[in-house]
Each structure stands twice: as C-alpha cells, then as structure tokens.
Amino acid sequence: MITEQSTVELERLKAVLLSADELKLAASILYQSYYDDPLFMEIFRAEKPDYEQRLRAAIREELNTFWQAQQPMVGLFLGEQLYGVACVIEPDSGIGAGRLWHWRLKMLLTAGYVSTKQLLDKEQKIHAAMPAERYHMLAFIAVLPKQQHLGLGHYLIHAVDSIVDKDQSSAGIGVFVTLDKYRAFFADDKYQVVSELAFNTVKGSLMFRPRQQLSK
C-alpha cells in the first residue's frame, strides 16, 4: 500500500498502455469504482438482484471493444501492481454514439435490452451536446479504492492529457460527470462544464477540456 511517507514509491509510478493480459485486472478496478455511480446504477437497474452480474458483464464487454478497436487504455503501475486505469475513445474510433453492430449484439446478451438502449441513448445525447465535431471521450477513469486521495488520479489524467494533446485532429476531450467531487477533480485539469444533461432520474455535467498546444 502507498502511504504518505512513500514519496519515493510515488516517483516510481508509470503510466503505460494496458496489454490484453491486464484487461481482467482493469475490469475489476472499474467495477469497484463504478459500482455506486448514479448513472450506472440507473442504467443497469441497481434495484434488481442481478445488478452486479450485468455491470460486470458490461464493463468486460466495453474493455473488449476498446481493445479490438485499438483504443487507448492507460494503466497506472507501481512495479507490477495496477493501481488505476483510464479508457479513452478517439475520434473516428467507430465505437462512439453509433456503436458497432457486434457490440450491440453482445451487450444485448449480457446486459439486456433496456440497459443497452439506455447506454446508446446516453452516448447519442452526449455527442449532440459536445462543443466539437472531432474529439476524444474519457469513457472510464478509476483508481483502486484503497489508493485514492493520494494524487494518483491526477497522475493518470495527465497521462490521458498527453494522448489528446498530441492528436492535432482532435479539439479536446469530454467526460460526463455525475458527482460534485469529480467535477472539482476535472476542473483542476482545465475541464469546463459545457452542458447539464439528465438521463431519467440522474443529472450530470458534460465537461470538456480543449486540446492544449504542446510547447516546442
């Protein structure tokens, strides 16, 4: 475990793209972090007894889709231990608001019709509210619950920034946020609220960070 005294260990952190063998660990971190997210609880119907099963299946399917589409999945490592993960959708990825047909089929089988439709509706609504045509989207970002509040999330989001800022075809990156504490986190990284959106009973902020010009 990282402690306040382990500054030296923090300096050994590295952010690298995940390999196929690490997707299962990434899925576990995302599940722990998004289990009580209001939007996921709404979409996957947390009141139902099979909520955990459907959420796990949906996260696994999302990661498999990202991998097959060669989208950036950044892992935050200390040695061999995975502490955090961030998943980014690039412009023209093919897995944005439209979604690939095979993803729809697999998601229908794992998460069910209602959840799949709500996920697609969410993405279409977000896409329509974005202030740009070509942009990245931060689909997931999570740090192990026991390792939170140590600055690891900022380390991870800066790794995402570097991916976006290097892509001159992108206007920036968006994220949909439902909790106040995460609005503050993203605001610290130059994200700005561009729209307030509602999905059934869940309200949140669509935030956008313009691509920064890299210094020469």
Side-chain angles (χ1 to χ4, degrees):
M1 176 181 293
I2 298 175
T3 65
E4 293 181 358
Q5 290 77 30
S6 54
T7 304
V8 175
E9 288 194 358
L10 286 174
E11 293 176 351
R12 292 173 48 227
L13 284 168
K14 61 180 181 180
V16 297
L17 296 180
L18 295 176
S19 68
D21 294 336
E22 293 156 345
L23 295 186
K24 184 177 291 187
L25 286 173
S28 176
I29 292 175
L30 292 177
Y31 172 79
Q32 294 177 64
S33 298
Y34 284 89
Y35 178 84
D36 57 355
D37 181 275
L39 185 58
F40 281 78
M41 293 178 71
E42 172 77 24
I43 290 176
F44 295 103
R45 292 169 291 167
E47 76 280 2
K48 300 291 184 181
D50 59 346
Y51 169 67
E52 295 183 4
Q53 178 183 346
R54 284 184 287 107
L55 179 60
R56 287 184 187 276
I59 289 174
R60 285 198 306 269
E61 193 53 51
E62 286 281 72
L63 292 184
N64 287 335
T65 300
F66 292 150
W67 177 258
Q68 292 169 10
Q70 299 181 333
Q71 297 302 288
M73 290 185 286
V74 181
L76 184 62
F77 289 87
L78 179 62
E80 300 298 318
Q81 178 68 45
L82 180 63
Y83 281 99
V85 60
C87 301
V88 181
I89 301 175
E90 296 176 315
D92 302 326
S93 66
I95 61 170
R99 285 292 182 176
L100 302 175
W101 68 268
H102 67 265
W103 177 92
R104 295 188 184 201
L105 177 59
K106 289 182 179 179
M107 190 63 77
L108 282 169
L109 294 174
T110 56
Y113 173 79
V114 173
S115 295
T116 301
K117 185 177 185 303
Q118 287 186 324
L119 275 175
L120 292 171
D121 290 346
K122 172 186 76 76
E123 292 186 354
Q124 290 169 352
K125 200 169 186 177
I126 287 174
H127 177 69
M130 289 295 292
E133 288 297 320
R134 293 182 56 80
Y135 59 89
H136 288 69
M137 194 72 194
L138 183 59
F140 294 111
I141 184 168
V143 171
L144 277 171
K146 292 183 179 179
Q147 308 297 346
Q148 293 180 1
H149 311 297
L150 297 171
L152 303 188
H154 291 284
Y155 195 107
L156 191 56
I157 198 67
H158 290 159
V160 171
D161 292 343
S162 69
I163 292 174
V164 177
D165 292 345
K166 290 176 183 176
D167 187 347
Q168 296 185 9
S169 72
S170 176
I173 183 167
V175 65
F176 182 67
V177 184
T178 56
L179 298 174
D180 288 338
K181 60 180 179 180
Y182 296 128
R183 289 187 187 91
F185 168 77
F186 287 110
D188 286 343
D189 193 48
K190 301 180 181 178
Y191 281 76
Q192 299 176 340
V193 175
V194 295
S195 182
E196 298 292 343
L197 301 176
F199 300 95
N200 294 334
T201 62
V202 178
K203 296 180 180 180
S205 301
L206 178 60
M207 303 184 72
F208 187 77
R209 175 188 182 273
R211 181 175 65 85
Q212 307 295 301
Q213 294 292 335
L214 297 176
S215 58
K216 296 183 179 180

